[in-house]
Amino acid sequence: MQAAIRHRSGAKNTVKLGLLGLFWTTLLLMWLATPVEAQYFGRNKVQYDGFEFQVLETPHFDIHYYPEAGVAIEDVARMAERWYERYARFFQHEFEGRKPLVMYADHPDFQQTNTLQSFLGESTGGVTESLKNRVIMPMTGSYQDTDHVLGHELVHAFQYNIAQSGQGGGLVGLTRLPLWLVEGMAEYLSVGREDPLTAMWMRDAVRRDDIPTIQQMGRDFRYFPYRFGQALWAYLAGVYGDDAVSSLFRSSLRRGWEPALAVTLGLNSDTLSKAWAETMK
């Protein structure tokens, strides 16, 4: 697909701080309003580079970038538009306007971002804010990895946008959902139904006879929500189809997971856990 792309020439944008952005980072939701006075000596975020941001406009995104990230930015724009078209069809949902996508040339630059107050570790591949639906991420060492992280974060952008829509139930409904549901869905949609890494985790769980129930996944972080959540969503999609996955997510926003499961699929978590475990084995 050829996306209609144009540069906003001469635009130099300073990416402003989101004071109350609710975002996904290292497996937990957290509010971003942290008083500067509460930062201890030696804990201040180091910002030793100045970034002169420009904006690349696409049909659905305002992509903020600076010259060091400019070499591949139009490829990133095509990736973003491709993901958008796929997710818009999957969720049957369209953004009401273009969303900000802030791209850094590499991870050290990303760790200096002033869009977030929190410290970003080496393991943080990207962040999606709730209130602004803003994705902030670095380019990685390969197009494949960049495409995966971008796809993962844009799932969150759709999740937030749907939650904030008229029939979405609000952000409170989203924050009440288990992490395996939210992050597992982002992994399922960005890497697909069959993933070697997830398969390795599941084979190990079967070998140790330690496949968790859905209740265990929601309260025990020994069961990594990204991998186990992806495996469960892949199972649900394989049995009931992607339409059921989208419907179950929307219903969960309004009702919560257990009532949504009963209404959408006529199941409860115990029954689903047993069927899933048997299939994995």
Side-chain angles (χ1 to χ4, degrees):
M1 181 200 71
Q2 284 294 109
I5 298 171
R6 67 187 180 91
H7 290 267
R8 190 184 298 163
S9 60
K12 296 183 179 180
N13 294 347
T14 301
V15 182
K16 297 181 180 179
L17 179 65
L19 291 178
L20 291 176
L22 184 66
F23 62 93
W24 299 104
T25 53
T26 56
L27 309 182
L28 295 174
L29 286 167
M30 60 184 68
W31 287 102
L32 297 179
T34 303
V36 174
E37 293 78 12
Q39 295 180 346
Y40 293 98
F41 177 77
R43 296 290 304 280
N44 293 340
K45 186 184 295 186
V46 177
Q47 295 174 346
Y48 48 83
D49 290 324
F51 303 112
E52 296 293 337
F53 279 91
Q54 303 173 24
V55 177
L56 173 61
E57 295 180 354
T58 75
H60 301 102
F61 300 99
D62 284 334
I63 304 179
H64 300 255
Y65 72 101
Y66 49 97
E68 289 81 355
V71 175
I73 200 64
E74 292 198 6
D75 291 328
V76 171
R78 282 186 282 271
M79 293 177 190
E81 287 296 331
R82 185 177 61 217
W83 283 121
Y84 179 89
E85 294 299 335
R86 178 184 174 187
Y87 295 155
R89 289 194 300 270
F90 178 87
F91 289 110
Q92 292 295 296
H93 180 81
E94 297 275 354
F95 289 166
E96 66 281 359
R98 289 199 303 272
K99 299 298 181 183
L101 172 57
V102 185
M103 295 297 304
Y104 286 87
D106 52 41
H107 206 277
D109 284 0
F110 170 58
Q111 289 180 285
Q112 299 177 59
T113 183
N114 66 353
T115 62
L116 309 167
Q117 281 189 324
S118 62
F119 292 91
L120 300 173
E122 292 291 339
S123 62
T124 303
V127 174
T128 304
E129 294 179 302
S130 60
L131 299 181
K132 296 182 180 180
N133 270 184
R134 181 168 58 178
V135 172
I136 306 106
M137 60 170 284
M139 295 181 187
T140 69
S142 73
Y143 271 22
Q144 181 179 4
D145 290 340
T146 298
D147 193 40
H148 169 223
V149 175
L150 180 59
H152 180 104
E153 295 303 328
L154 287 179
V155 173
H156 292 324
F158 269 87
Q159 289 170 336
Y160 283 134
N161 200 250
I162 291 169
Q164 292 171 298
S165 66
Q167 298 179 340
L171 289 176
V172 173
L174 183 60
T175 60
R176 289 174 178 169
L177 296 181
L179 198 58
W180 68 259
L181 188 157
V182 178
E183 294 292 357
M185 174 175 284
E187 281 295 276
Y188 166 66
L189 292 177
S190 61
V191 302
R193 189 172 298 171
E194 297 181 5
D195 176 57
L197 180 59
T198 297
M200 178 182 69
W201 279 69
M202 299 311 298
R203 283 196 299 270
D204 185 62
V206 169
R207 182 184 62 81
R208 292 183 289 105
D209 193 25
D210 191 26
I211 298 178
T213 65
I214 293 173
Q215 288 86 351
Q216 286 175 313
M217 287 168 57
R219 63 174 181 263
D220 190 340
F221 278 90
R222 289 184 302 134
Y223 304 108
F224 190 37
Y226 287 67
R227 303 276 69 84
F228 285 92
Q230 180 194 358
L232 181 56
W233 279 119
Y235 167 77
L236 286 167
V239 174
Y240 300 100
D242 276 344
D243 287 345
V245 172
S246 178
S247 297
L248 186 54
F249 171 71
R250 286 179 174 275
S251 183
S252 295
L253 286 173
R254 299 188 301 271
R255 298 182 174 92
W257 162 255
E258 200 69 44
L261 185 61
V263 169
T264 305
L265 300 180
L267 300 173
N268 59 42
S269 287
D270 289 339
T271 303
L272 178 58
S273 295
K274 292 175 183 177
W276 178 50
E278 290 173 0
T279 300
M280 291 299 99
K281 291 176 182 178

